[in-house]
Amino acid sequence: MKINVSKKSASITPSGIREFFDLVLGMEDIISLGIGEPDFVTPWNICEAGIYALEKGYTSYTSNQGLLSFRKTIAQYLKKKYNLGYHPEKEILITVGTSEAYDLAIRALINPSDEVLIPEPSYVSYYSVTQLAGGKPKYLSTHETGFKVTPKMLQEAISNKTKILLLNYPSNPTGITYTVNELKNIAKIVKANNLIVISDEIYGDLTYDFQHTPFASISGMQSHTVYINGFSKAYAMTGWRVGYACGPENVIDAMNRIHQYTMLCAPIMSQMAAQEALINGDNACLEMKKEYKRRREYVISRLGEMGFTFPYPAGAFYIFASVKNTGLTGKEFSCRLLKEKKVAVVPGVAFGTEFKNKYYIRVCYTTEFEKLKKALNKIEQFLKEL
Amino acid sequence: MKEILELLRKNAKLTAKDIAKSLKKNVSSVEGTIAKLEKKGVILGYKAIIDENKIKDFNPVRAIIEVQVAPKRNLGFDYIAKRIYKFPEVRTCYLVSGAYELQLVVEGKDIHRVAEFVAEKLAPLEGVKGTVTHFFLKKYKEDGVIFGKKDENHRMNISL
Ligand SMILES: Cc1ncc(COP(=O)(O)O)c(C=O)c1O
């Protein structure tokens, strides 16, 4: 018998670059600038906390919301860093990565055919997660506005079905972020239209030129916002799978009701390691940030010299570059670069509409300096040979 | 300047051009700074970090030697320290607090040479009150560099 899978799962569009991915995954001896996770291993004090947890026999479930002491640490951290006040017992939920947090938020908020506005290019998951939840994802293309959402664009996109605006800044794949004033202007539209903002700020700690501002900290916005963060990027903890959501009590409660039956809880040893990250991880985090910042300057300078254009990457570890003046599409560029020079980058179409992202590539600087340099030398050669 | 030193301390092979790009400075100013640091003796030299276990006949014997010494009137420990660190066998020499005063790393072709050095050169020196020798058995980490196989990140080649 051939099993018929659900229409819903069948409807999730396989990403148009699956073949390219398979090609990259199957190749050896390449330098990849296509990896969206840190090249660092988790700092030792954090690993050690995880090992200690195991040694002490912490191998059980935790409460659905997550360890209370961990939630308290998060509350203190947000208070101290951003002056954001969240009640650890009612307004914070520990999740299995940031990924679970926005999935829960969308599922907890969406009624059939409610619209979710997703600025694109965007991280890949939001669109499908919205579809799975029965909502209507609607892309806002930001290519003509410096890859940022503008109040005007937002106002024009809002219909009476619009319920959620999904923000992700610093952004994957562009590295752009918003200034306080830009956020305030977005907040006005959010307020006037009673929107809810799901704000994925997983790269917040990787903002290089100024202090990151959470959307929830903009005046009047805490009650409109589900703030989402995690440990994968700034603490190099992708494999541990811990994140969290903070928001109004009734939203966190709704999210927890889904979470209790679908995930139960985040792994206890990962929660304990992540707590150590917040308490004693600042230094390691700053060291990694410093390294990313230097690489960023280097890559900006090299790509600029080669004639690429891209929005200024104020955070995260990505550069979203146009390859239009090579005459190739992003996909062609990526495929040929891989085959001819054994360097991998990601075609821009992975991050949104084919039409708008056709001539872009995403370059990650999550690779140690010497390799990064080598890869850029190869890209330079590749351009000369075109 | 501090940032340049930080980068070079990690990787002395970086060119002035690489450093300039990484720190958003111009190349000539980076070159100038490095030249000045070299001239002033802030940067004393550049050398390779070698894992001696991985090659044959390149594996000298080393020992940490704790040396109890008496300070000299008006000269403190500097006089006796100099008498000791001038020996080429002494690779490292620190004045430390605690149960002894000087901590040395001494190097020799084999264990006998090191023992000989201690017995014939070091211990008889006037002012040396006693020595304790610890031979190195295995080097795990030195100056921030881990020897042997590094823990690598096991990432996939591509991810979004
Ligand atoms: C914007 C963004 N959000 C979320 C994630 C996933 O994070 P987590 O590992 O916390 O699930 C990623 C990973 O690439 C990302 O880029």
Side-chain angles (χ1 to χ4, degrees), chain A residues 251-309:
Chain A
V251 179
I252 293 297
D253 180 57
M255 288 168 67
N256 190 31
R257 272 183 278 137
I258 302 170
H259 173 77
Q260 70 183 335
Y261 293 132
T262 51
M263 202 60 77
L264 238 168
C265 66
I268 186 169
M269 51 301 249
S270 300
Q271 292 190 48
M272 290 175 143
Q275 188 172 13
E276 166 69 17
L278 285 189
I279 295 172
N280 292 312
D282 258 14
N283 242 345
C285 181
L286 285 177
E287 278 304 307
M288 290 189 278
K289 182 173 164 182
K290 217 179 215 171
E291 176 64 24
Y292 291 134
K293 182 169 189 233
R294 288 171 184 152
R295 292 180 192 168
R296 179 187 70 147
E297 303 302 353
Y298 184 77
V299 182
I300 287 176
S301 157
R302 292 291 305 271
L303 290 180
E305 284 169 3
M306 291 180 218
F308 288 102
T309 55

Side-chain angles (χ1 to χ4, degrees), chain A residues 24 27 32 34-40 290 294 297 301 305 362 366 370 373, chain B residues 3 6-7 10-11 14 18 21-24 152-153 155-160:
Chain A
V24 177
M27 266 172 97
S32 183
I35 310 178
E37 61 178 318
D39 52 314
F40 301 100
K290 217 179 215 171
R294 288 171 184 152
E297 303 302 353
S301 157
E305 284 169 3
R362 187 192 72 177
T366 50
E370 294 294 341
K373 182 174 170 183
Chain B
E3 273 207 291
E6 226 173 274
L7 283 175
K10 266 201 220 145
N11 179 2
L14 285 179
D18 293 340
K21 283 187 163 47
S22 300
L23 301 180
K24 228 175 161 177
E152 271 179 56
N153 195 327
R155 301 180 300 171
M156 294 181 298
N157 272 343
I158 193 162
S159 61
L160 291 172

Side-chain angles (χ1 to χ4, degrees), chain A residues 36 96-100 102 123 126 168 172 200 202-203 230-233 238 241-243 318, chain B residues 160:
Chain A
V96 177
T98 309
S99 304
E100 197 213 353
Y102 52 70
Y123 180 56
Y126 313 133
N168 163 228
N172 179 4
D200 177 352
I202 189 167
Y203 296 103
F231 298 84
S232 291
K233 312 294 173 167
T238 45
R241 312 307 304 129
V242 213
Y318 308 107
Chain B
L160 291 172

